[in-house]
């Protein structure tokens, strides 16, 4: 049976403005896809529909997290006084070693998925660890929850503890185990090729990752130009590459299949042009960039240049899983950049919202909008506690983004199905 949802509907077709329907209707077919939005039902056949009225609540697309490290969930909010490379060695790698233990992995991963649910994030692009069985467990938990995810078995074999390094054969066979059960292009949870970053991957591992992506038509995720020391390390490791991005490209990991690169704080020149040509997407992680002292990604320039940009929490270099707060941080970072250079304006609320919903959602398919043919990934928000009398709907949304939290999210949907609270242990 198709569903018709009545509420105050807000979404973005384009980044420059909101689409707003006061007490409007979203029609969703039996496959969980939007067939249309309407101000009234005079032109809609409702004879075979269930009509669900959310009253004066807000109805918006669900959040999408384009860059998050699931095994770093327990490290949120600690070691925020270190830069990237020493932070990895002292805190991140020791934590990731624990995920060889499936019991430990399940406890952490269940809580991680529960918190994504709390904050209204229905799709995520996730780094796991090298441990194939733990990665399979994480994928199963996402499936049980009814939430979408690209889940990556991290590939690395240098500049890391010996117990976190794999040779090419181990990495490849592990990925083939993931692909065997989760390789369908239409699956809600799928593997994604995930070389950690070039400083931790030798050329043979990178080449094998590119071959897997090409052979199985899988997306790719990694890190790019996050930190100046990292960029310098790549320059010395890949001397024949003209830039960091070109080093990925030569191994088939830079847009040959759908690709998202996190951070891009120091991306410029040839690297930026290569991203444009190849359609490589940017995962902007503003809280992470500040916490590990990486810098301020030039997001206004990326948008002006036509790059696709979404938002990422980057737990645990980022300290917060809420993509709503990532919108706030992204706007604030752009305002700081505006103070340094008035030639480029700062981000608007609709642009930040568009990055979190439609732009980021495009990495997962037709996700992040209420346009016809899009998956109905949605949140219902009861913002009555925020005293919204005399505010417009766009002002109510703004107040929720800046002042609200997960307690105001009353319903969550992914591909048309309501997602209940995941079990934690």
């Amino acid at each position: 049976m198709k569903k018709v949802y009545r509420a105050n509907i807000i979404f973005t077709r384009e980044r420059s403005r909101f689409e707003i329907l006061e007490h409007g209707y979203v029609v969703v077919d039996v496959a969980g896809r939007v067939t249309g939005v309407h101000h009234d039902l005079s032109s809609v056949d409702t004879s075979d529909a269930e009509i669900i009225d959310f009253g004066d609540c807000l109805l918006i697309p669900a959040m999408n997290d384009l860059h998050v490290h699931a095994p770093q969930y327990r490290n949120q909010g600690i070691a925020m006084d270190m830069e990237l490379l020493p932070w990895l060695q002292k805190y991140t790698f020791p934590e990731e070693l624990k995920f060889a233990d499936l019991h430990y992995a399940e406890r952490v991963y269940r809580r991680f998925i529960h918190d994504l649910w709390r904050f209204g994030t229905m799709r995520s692009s996730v780094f796991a660890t090298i441990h194939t069985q733990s990665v399979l467990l994480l994928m199963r938990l996402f499936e049980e929850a009814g939430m979408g995810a690209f889940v990556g078995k991290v590939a690395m074999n240098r500049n890391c503890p010996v117990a976190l390094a794999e040779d090419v054969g181990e990495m490849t066979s592990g990925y083939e185990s993931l692909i065997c059960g989760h390789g369908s292009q239409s699956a809600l949870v799928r593997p994604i090729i995930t070389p950690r970053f070039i400083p931790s991957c030798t050329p043979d591992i990178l080449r094998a990752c590119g071959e897997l992506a090409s052979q199985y038509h899988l997306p790719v995720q990694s890190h790019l130009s996050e930190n100046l020391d990292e960029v310098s390390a790549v320059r010395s490791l890949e001397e024949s590459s003209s830039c960091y991005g070109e080093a990925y490209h030569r191994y088939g990991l830079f847009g040959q299949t759908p690709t998202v690169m996190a951070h891009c704080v120091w991306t410029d020149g040839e690297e930026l042009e290569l991203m444009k040509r190849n359609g490589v997407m940017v995962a902007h992680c503003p809280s992470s960039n500040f916490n590990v002292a990486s810098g301020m990604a030039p997001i206004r320039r990326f948008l002006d240049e036509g790059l696709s940009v979404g938002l990422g929490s980057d737990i645990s270099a980022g300290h917060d899983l809420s993509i709503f707060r990532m919108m706030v941080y992204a706007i604030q970072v752009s305002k700081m950049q505006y103070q340094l250079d008035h030639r480029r304006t700062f981000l608007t609320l609709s642009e930040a919202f568009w990055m979190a919903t439609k732009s980021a959602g495009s990495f997962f398919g037709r996700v992040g909008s209420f346009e016809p043919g899009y998956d109905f990934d949605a949140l219902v928000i009861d913002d009555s506690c925020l005293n919204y009398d005399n505010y417009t709907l766009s002002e109510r949304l703004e107040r929720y983004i800046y002042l609200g939290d997960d307690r105001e999210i009353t319903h969550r949907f992914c591909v048309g199905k309501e997602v209940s609270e995941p079990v934690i242990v």
Side-chain angles (χ1 to χ4, degrees):
M1 178 182 290
K2 71 182 179 184
K3 304 285 183 69
V4 178
Y5 298 100
R6 178 183 181 273
N8 293 306
I9 299 162
I10 307 177
F11 65 103
T12 48
R13 295 178 190 269
E14 54 193 43
R15 73 175 195 247
S16 61
R17 63 187 180 88
F18 288 110
E19 302 288 333
I20 298 176
L21 289 82
E22 184 173 5
H23 297 137
Y25 300 85
V26 179
V27 182
V28 180
D29 67 18
V30 293
R33 294 184 177 87
V34 175
T35 63
V37 293
H38 307 271
H39 288 282
D40 59 59
L41 294 178
S42 58
S43 61
V44 180
D45 179 8
T46 60
S47 59
D48 62 341
E50 179 184 2
I51 300 175
I52 300 157
D53 190 346
F54 290 124
D56 205 37
C57 291
L58 305 178
L59 178 62
I60 65 172
M63 297 296 103
N64 305 285
D65 191 334
L66 268 191
H67 184 66
V68 60
H69 293 261
Q72 296 178 27
Y73 172 77
R74 284 192 71 250
N75 277 358
Q76 287 179 89
I78 62 172
M80 296 288 94
D81 56 353
M82 301 183 74
E83 289 193 33
L84 174 66
L85 298 183
W87 172 83
L88 285 171
Q89 296 292 336
K90 186 171 182 180
Y91 286 93
T92 300
F93 292 153
E95 178 64 17
E96 292 191 7
L97 282 166
K98 300 175 185 176
F99 285 78
D101 180 346
L102 287 177
H103 296 292
Y104 182 84
E106 181 170 4
R107 289 200 308 274
V108 174
Y109 284 159
R110 284 190 180 276
R111 284 166 171 75
F112 166 71
I113 290 172
H114 182 269
D115 266 7
L116 288 175
W117 174 87
R118 275 204 310 128
F119 292 120
T121 300
M122 294 293 105
R123 310 273 182 145
S124 306
S125 191
V126 184
F127 281 59
T129 62
I130 70 162
H131 309 101
T132 300
Q133 294 306 310
S134 288
V135 180
L136 286 166
L137 169 66
L138 179 58
M139 297 178 83
R140 177 175 63 80
L141 294 176
F142 268 113
E143 288 173 340
E144 288 179 1
M147 295 158 58
F150 287 143
V151 179
K153 170 183 160 64
V154 169
M156 59 182 175
N157 66 342
R158 67 179 171 190
N159 295 323
C160 64
V162 172
L164 287 178
E166 284 190 308
D167 63 30
V168 170
E170 292 172 316
M171 187 275 293
T172 300
S173 63
Y175 260 105
E176 288 174 342
S177 297
L178 306 184
I179 294 163
C180 181
H182 304 272
S184 169
Q185 296 286 322
S186 61
L188 193 57
V189 180
R190 295 180 58 207
I192 182 170
I193 301 300
T194 307
R196 184 174 213 115
F197 64 165
I198 284 176
S200 65
C201 297
T202 58
D204 57 342
I205 281 278
L206 293 166
R207 190 173 299 108
C209 284
E211 290 169 354
L212 284 167
S214 175
Q215 179 180 352
Y216 295 104
H217 310 290
L218 291 175
V220 170
Q221 63 178 353
S222 195
H223 302 83
L224 179 69
S225 299
E226 177 180 2
N227 172 280
L228 288 175
D229 289 342
E230 167 209 12
V231 173
S232 178
V234 171
R235 192 177 298 117
S236 64
L237 291 168
E238 289 284 333
E239 293 180 348
S240 59
S241 296
S242 57
C243 62
Y244 198 160
E246 200 272 328
Y248 282 119
H249 183 263
R250 68 191 306 178
Y251 298 111
L253 297 167
F254 209 65
Q256 290 90 339
T257 63
T259 302
V260 60
M261 287 284 163
H263 307 301
C264 306
V265 172
W266 302 101
T267 291
D268 201 354
E270 180 182 348
E271 185 169 277
L272 177 57
E273 292 303 313
L274 186 59
M275 293 184 77
K276 289 164 59 177
R277 287 199 303 273
N278 290 10
V280 174
M281 193 165 194
V282 176
H284 178 38
C285 308
S287 67
S288 167
N289 296 158
F290 276 173
N291 286 339
V292 293
S294 294
M296 297 185 290
I299 299 305
R300 169 57 69 200
R301 181 182 179 190
F302 291 163
L303 293 177
D304 289 348
E305 296 272 0
L307 266 66
S308 295
V309 182
L311 297 177
S313 64
D314 194 24
I315 295 301
S316 68
H319 61 277
D320 195 331
L321 264 175
S322 170
I323 296 299
F324 289 104
R325 286 196 277 270
M326 293 311 113
M327 291 187 224
V328 174
Y329 300 150
I331 292 169
Q332 291 173 336
V333 168
S334 74
K335 288 180 175 177
M336 294 179 69
Q337 291 173 311
Y338 174 72
Q339 296 305 317
L340 299 173
D341 182 357
H342 279 46
R343 290 174 296 177
R344 296 190 188 271
T345 59
F346 50 79
L347 296 174
T348 65
L349 186 71
S350 70
E351 288 176 316
F353 186 85
W354 174 83
M355 288 194 295
T357 56
K358 185 174 180 178
S359 185
S362 69
F363 193 64
F364 304 97
R366 292 177 66 81
V367 173
S369 179
F370 293 150
E371 296 165 66
Y374 275 69
D375 290 347
F376 185 67
D377 286 22
L379 306 177
V380 178
I381 297 170
D382 179 357
D383 61 334
S384 56
C385 67
L386 298 176
N387 301 314
Y388 58 76
D389 288 349
N390 300 320
Y391 291 120
T392 66
L393 290 177
S394 61
E395 288 170 337
R396 284 173 56 182
L397 176 62
E398 183 173 24
R399 282 174 62 82
Y400 174 73
I401 290 170
Y402 277 82
L403 303 178
D405 60 37
D406 57 285
R407 292 171 295 181
E408 285 84 65
I409 304 175
T410 61
H411 301 271
R412 301 156 175 85
F413 297 89
C414 187
V415 199
K417 295 181 180 179
E418 184 161 4
V419 181
S420 58
E421 184 171 2
V423 174
I424 57 176
V425 293

